[in-house]
Amino acid sequence: MNFSFWTIKNRGLLLFSLFLGLNASHVFSQDYDDPALGQQPVVSQPQDYKPLGFRAGSFMLHPGVELAAEYNDNVLYSFQDEQSDTIFHVRPYVTAQSNWSRHSFSVRLAADIGRYADFDVRDYEDLFFTVEGRFDVKGRNAVGYRFDILQLHEDLNSRDSEQGIEPTVYQLLGGGLNYDHYFNRLSLGLATEWRQLSYDDVLSEDGSIINNEDRDRDQFVMSLTAGYQFKTDKRAFLTVGFDETEYDQLIDRNGFHRDSSGYFIRSGLDFSITSVLTGDLSVGYHEREYDDPQLQDVDGVGLGAGLTWFPTQLTTVRANVSSSIEDTTNSTASGYFRTLYSLRVDHELLRNLQLNGRLSYADSDYEPILGAPAGSRTQDKVWRAGIGLNYFINRWMFLGASYDFQELSTNVANDGYKVNRAWLILGFEK
């Protein structure tokens, strides 16, 4: 059963987490379409260029650092009067991964220190601590767990909350537990996820303090998945889940009680067609109800997909579709239904030279409150496209360059933006 323990979102929630699921190498090179923080595209080395690390007892350690320069031609993400800047990044990290014959355990410590050449008020320091592992019970049965302590920041491309002069810093404490049990062809999986979000206050442009205490909240999700493997390489599944969000502050800055609860149901197929095409396809329904009668319920039918296609031995194509209901502190909406479509192509020009291209589209439909004024936010559409080149000098050093275009179109007048970003990266890892 595929289960994401938590997600972090640039827009107040999570985002599909920053470096979940990445190997020891290049922990900052998050997935291109992750809403979190908008980092550069993922870097994945060929097997014979992967860092070897060094042994420490029954663990392999991978220390490293990435030095990056990012040029942004609309650093304030504004509709007009665009301002450009260069941001310099220093990203140290260390990963410890067990090499046991059974079970697994890993720890990651990392930081992302960003410094702006001109807009130094936007400087930030993101910090990451992650523990994850697996207990092998019997056969294919296993218990997975995860624990995270993160300090992150919101960028100005977020249109979902009030932004100040400095970045809005927030802390995320989260964890998850899941158990998968196999009865021959039948399988059952139980998963739980919890996260706590705490936002710092920030200074506004007029010198007043933006109080973000009403954004602090706890979120809990539990899901049960039943699967039936009707062929060796095909499995049908059904997932039913429940979620609950509870805010620390009873009433927010707009006079709303935003506590909510909901459920989701998803059905689909896991499959593989030889080794050429693997993945899953599903369709699901999501619904969330709010305690405040002024906040309209949010629901929607969404598609799900995670496909990997190998048209040649040198080319990999990945396609993903995901849908979810997200929280907001927007004064005229209760929440929004978000669907993300993404496509990525990786091709080996040479064994140590990789070319990649990316395309994504995110559609966010906001549910207006009762009596919302005309012109209130009802829909945001974000397009992204990019291309990148990675050159692996040896096992412990690589160079990367990438370009990314992003555009927000929205029904709110003069609130969209277009931005071009370019990256240069030099990475070292033992």
Side-chain angles (χ1 to χ4, degrees), residues 309-321:
W309 176 39
F310 303 95
T312 73
Q313 293 183 347
L314 302 178
T315 305
T316 304
V317 180
R318 297 180 179 89
N320 289 278
V321 182

Side-chain angles (χ1 to χ4, degrees), residues 109-139:
L109 287 169
D112 179 10
I113 303 168
R115 293 293 182 264
Y116 286 69
D118 297 325
F119 292 89
D120 55 357
V121 71
R122 301 297 303 174
D123 292 350
Y124 66 88
E125 298 86 30
D126 289 345
L127 306 173
F128 314 87
F129 173 72
T130 299
V131 174
E132 63 180 332
R134 184 192 72 254
F135 289 113
D136 297 322
V137 180
K138 183 180 179 181

Side-chain angles (χ1 to χ4, degrees), residues 206-219:
D206 62 10
S208 61
I209 299 296
I210 299 174
N211 188 335
N212 283 316
E213 291 183 8
D214 61 349
R215 301 181 66 191
D216 299 347
R217 59 191 182 270
D218 289 90
Q219 298 171 312

Side-chain angles (χ1 to χ4, degrees), residues 100 102-105 133-138 140-145 177-180:
W100 307 329
R102 297 184 70 245
H103 317 303
S104 69
F105 179 81
R134 184 192 72 254
F135 289 113
D136 297 322
V137 180
K138 183 180 179 181
R140 293 183 295 166
N141 305 330
V143 176
Y145 58 91
L177 188 68
N178 71 295
Y179 175 66
D180 292 322

